[in-house]
Amino acid sequence: MTALLLISLFVIFSALGLPLAFCMGITATAGLLFSGFGSPAVAAQRIFAGMNSYALLALPLFLLAGNILVAGGVINRLVVFADLLVGRVRGGLAQVNVLSNLMMAGVSGSATADTAALGSVMVPMMSARGYAPTFAAALTTSAGIVAPILPPSLIMVIYAIPTRISIGALFLAGVVPALLMSAAFMAYVRYACRHHPLSEKRESAQGLARATIHALPVLMAPVLLVGGIRGGVFTATEAAAVLVAYALALTMVLHRSLKLSELVGILHDSALTTASIMLMIGTSSIFAWYLAIEDVPQATRALLDAATDNRYVFLLIVNVFLLLVGCVLDTVPAILIFVPILQPAAVAFGIDPVHFAIIVIVNLMVGVNTPPIGTNLLVISGIAGLRVGSVTRALLPFYAVKVAALMVITYVPFISLWLPRYLGFGP
Amino acid sequence: MKSAARLVRRIVDGLLVASLAVIATVLCLQVALRYGFRSALPWPEELSQFLLIGLTFLGSWSALEHGRHIGLDLWPARAPGALPRALRTLSLLCAAGFVGFVGIGGLDLVQSAWSRPSTAMRVPMGVIYIVIPVSCALMLVYFAAAAWRGGSVSTGKDQ
């Protein structure tokens, strides 16, 4: 009865627009008070302890590095480079879009930041070369979902905290699925743009060399990062700090495309984003504690056990459930609320926790592009000046591509687990 | 009153920018010392973690003011009728109650840990915990004012 009351409270308050961090805090505190566990000091201590983690320091740093690179105009260099590589085939500029998104994902951990930055460059450019603006917007926001799947990834840092999975293992596990998804988008673009006229212009070998040199520092970053973490040289947090230094050196010293005064704004902006995510992590730790006291994870496991004893059916149920969740909840709260509940059940069904993490993340990334609450869908519609409805219509075939990729990633664990195992993480 | 509020905002903004800058700087310094000179310092990790927590609490208030928290808003603020308005006010009062609850807890922590030193820097934990009641008081004022005005919290201007 209490639980039902609390769930309705949570749903109503969040529907009314109260920030989710506070919705979680209110519900959990009320629940704890009902069960006689809550005291103010314990609540404050839980929030503090939930945020007091060395690994979480990677979050503001990856965020900051991504924002510095975006503000420093790194995207333009990547787009020029991608244009030289794949711009001359049929639907070339659309392929450039997918490739630029993939390259940007290698240094940025947030799909929203990438979508906003690339959208403002690619949508006008594609419209000018005769692509439908809605197609350009849908493609940009779709291709952008690889950002949190390819390392570095803010979402993976957050996922690793309650589940105690190694961030390094998660980072490596995301590489092949991200490449697979980009390849799927490229294949779809090839089909969708098969009647598109070819572009005539040819670049000289000199131009190619210059663009490569310009793009190389950015392309090297993910290699250094993953190599450093894998080789035990850095922790993920140290890698994030190094990436910040690298981004500063690149934009302020090498390219001189970022002024010191702009940096203050970037720091402030990154701090606010960090606070909004971290507060959710803090209040979700009271929430998780309340769920544990109420035995919700065990009850969910029992429910799923009763529903099926087949792990493939289990994965299907989880995927459908999370796709629905992703339509209304943002990725971070969805992970903080549902992963502590679903993860033990997945392990009980014999699914590798790292593989399960990739399934959950890829699944929720489909949701960032779905109405009514698709953060990136709203962002790209705002930037392109298009109605959400018309972008959604253009997104329909992309949903099919994404769900197909999700199914392959779900039912072929090898795709996610090959690289981390090959490099010595896990069994 | 107005100028006092502006002063608080400026101070908090300055603290947010400085915290993040210090976190990035000391952690880079630590990497350089550890791998360049093989002599890591004992305090950068702890300092950064505390700064991140301080940044989160103060930044949570600032994010409320800037409409930067993550939320849904399926039921738009313009929705007419007495029920949505009443529920919205109730949600704001509950949020005020929640931050008040945590703020009181923070005060308890400040008192009980006043002379307990932190692991690495040997700073009294009570001093670190002060950010909790201060930020919660700011958020309490924000929610109470929003409830009084019959307004709502804006969210999702950015992820």
Side-chain angles (χ1 to χ4, degrees):
Chain A
M1 185 59 216
T2 322
L4 208 62
L5 188 75
L6 289 174
I7 292 169
S8 20
L9 203 68
F10 184 92
V11 171
I12 292 172
F13 282 5
S14 49
L16 282 165
L18 189 69
L20 288 158
F22 296 97
C23 294
M24 278 193 268
I26 293 168
T27 323
T29 313
L32 288 171
L33 287 175
F34 275 126
S35 2
F37 276 101
S39 86
V42 171
Q45 176 64 41
R46 277 270 154 187
I47 296 178
F48 190 93
M51 304 189 304
N52 193 11
S53 141
Y54 175 69
L56 275 177
L57 283 167
L59 195 86
L61 296 175
F62 279 136
L63 204 65
L64 181 62
N67 287 345
I68 290 172
L69 288 172
V70 167
V74 162
I75 291 227
N76 292 321
R77 290 167 194 274
L78 290 181
V79 170
V80 170
F81 178 63
D83 193 24
L84 286 174
L85 282 188
V86 293
R88 302 292 156 256
V89 299
R90 234 176 255 284
L93 203 54
Q95 304 288 14
V96 169
N97 191 332
V98 179
L99 195 61
S100 306
N101 259 305
L102 183 67
M103 291 193 285
M104 197 56 206
V107 282
S108 156
S110 150
T112 312
D114 290 8
T115 301
L118 265 170
S120 57
V121 176
M122 288 308 302
V123 176
M125 209 163 149
M126 285 179 71
S127 307
R129 282 209 221 162
Y131 293 86
T134 47
F135 174 77
L139 178 65
T140 309
T141 183
S142 295
I145 68 172
V146 295
I149 303 169
L150 194 72
S153 156
L154 302 180
I155 301 295
M156 285 177 181
V157 172
I158 294 165
Y159 193 102
I161 300 298
T163 54
R164 296 168 193 276
I165 299 175
S166 141
I167 296 180
L170 280 182
F171 275 12
L172 290 174
V175 173
V176 180
L179 295 176
L180 175 81
M181 295 192 80
S182 284
F185 290 130
M186 287 189 142
Y188 171 70
V189 163
R190 201 180 164 79
Y191 167 78
C193 299
R194 63 194 179 282
H195 301 307
H196 216 269
L198 272 170
S199 152
E200 291 299 319
K201 206 170 62 166
R202 279 250 158 229
E203 282 296 332
S204 62
Q206 235 176 351
L208 183 64
R210 194 176 322 117
T212 312
I213 291 167
H214 277 165
L216 206 57
V218 188
L219 296 175
M220 282 308 292
V223 178
L224 289 175
L225 214 76
V226 174
I229 295 174
R230 156 65 199 128
V233 180
F234 309 133
T235 61
T237 304
E238 286 170 340
V242 171
L243 189 60
V244 170
Y246 191 75
L248 281 175
L250 210 61
T251 54
M252 296 189 79
V253 182
L254 192 65
H255 299 332
R256 296 178 192 280
S257 49
L258 190 71
K259 289 199 281 286
L260 202 60
S261 54
E262 292 173 276
L263 188 61
V264 175
I266 294 170
L267 281 168
H268 185 245
D269 189 75
S270 308
L272 286 186
T273 310
T274 302
S276 69
I277 297 175
M278 285 287 293
L279 184 70
M280 270 197 295
I281 292 172
T283 54
S284 77
S285 72
I286 327 182
F287 196 78
W289 188 41
Y290 170 64
L291 291 179
I293 285 174
E294 292 286 314
D295 273 343
V296 175
Q298 283 81 346
T300 313
R301 211 172 107 186
L303 193 73
L304 284 164
D305 259 338
T308 174
D309 53 3
N310 182 322
R311 79 162 92 161
Y312 301 110
V313 180
F314 166 79
L315 284 174
L316 188 67
I317 296 173
V318 169
N319 266 322
V320 172
F321 173 73
L322 286 177
L323 282 174
L324 293 175
V325 165
C327 290
V328 285
L329 265 188
D330 247 335
T331 321
V332 177
I335 284 176
L336 291 173
I337 294 171
F338 292 108
V339 164
I341 301 174
L342 293 174
Q343 165 96 357
V347 172
F349 273 97
I351 297 156
D352 188 289
V354 172
H355 177 217
F356 188 69
I358 301 297
I359 297 174
V360 170
I361 292 168
V362 170
N363 186 311
L364 291 173
M365 288 329 290
V366 179
V368 297
N369 289 328
T370 48
I373 311 291
T375 317
N376 295 7
L377 175 59
L378 301 182
V379 165
I380 196 72
S381 308
I383 284 172
L386 298 165
R387 296 216 346 270
V388 174
S390 51
V391 179
T392 307
R393 213 166 306 126
L395 269 167
L396 289 176
F398 288 100
Y399 293 141
V401 174
K402 279 179 263 192
V403 171
L406 171 65
M407 285 300 134
V408 173
I409 290 165
T410 302
Y411 289 111
V412 188
F414 180 76
I415 294 170
S416 310
L417 297 176
W418 169 74
L419 189 60
R421 283 192 182 155
Y422 181 70
L423 292 174
F425 276 94
Chain B
M1 192 60 202
K2 275 254 165 65
S3 65
R6 199 160 51 227
L7 182 68
V8 173
R9 270 184 208 116
R10 289 198 71 130
I11 293 173
V12 169
D13 282 347
L15 286 173
L16 293 178
V17 169
S19 303
L20 191 51
V22 170
I23 291 173
T25 312
V26 299
L27 286 178
C28 281
L29 179 76
Q30 180 77 330
V31 174
L33 287 176
R34 176 167 297 153
Y35 302 108
F37 302 94
R38 306 219 158 269
S39 60
L41 297 167
W43 50 264
E45 285 84 6
E46 192 181 79
L47 174 68
S48 308
Q49 279 169 241
F50 288 163
L51 282 175
L52 179 60
I53 292 170
L55 181 158
T56 303
F57 273 103
L58 286 173
S60 296
W61 171 68
S62 209
L64 278 174
E65 297 232 312
H66 286 90
R68 289 281 296 266
H69 277 291
I70 299 164
L72 300 185
D73 206 10
L74 291 168
W75 203 348
R78 296 173 305 283
L83 182 69
R85 194 176 312 152
L87 282 173
R88 201 175 298 265
T89 306
L90 177 70
S91 76
L92 291 170
L93 290 176
C94 284
F98 169 67
V99 292
F101 189 78
V102 174
I104 291 169
L107 271 182
D108 289 348
L109 291 179
V110 170
Q111 277 167 355
S112 63
W114 190 249
S115 53
R116 183 154 50 84
S118 72
T119 324
M121 293 187 294
R122 315 307 289 171
V123 186
M125 284 305 290
V127 176
I128 308 290
Y129 286 132
I130 284 177
V131 73
I132 304 178
V134 170
S135 312
C136 286
L138 287 171
M139 287 192 266
L140 181 67
V141 171
Y142 175 88
F143 283 122
W148 177 255
R149 285 196 318 269
S152 61
V153 181
S154 65
T155 52
K157 288 196 183 135
D158 175 290
Q159 190 182 3

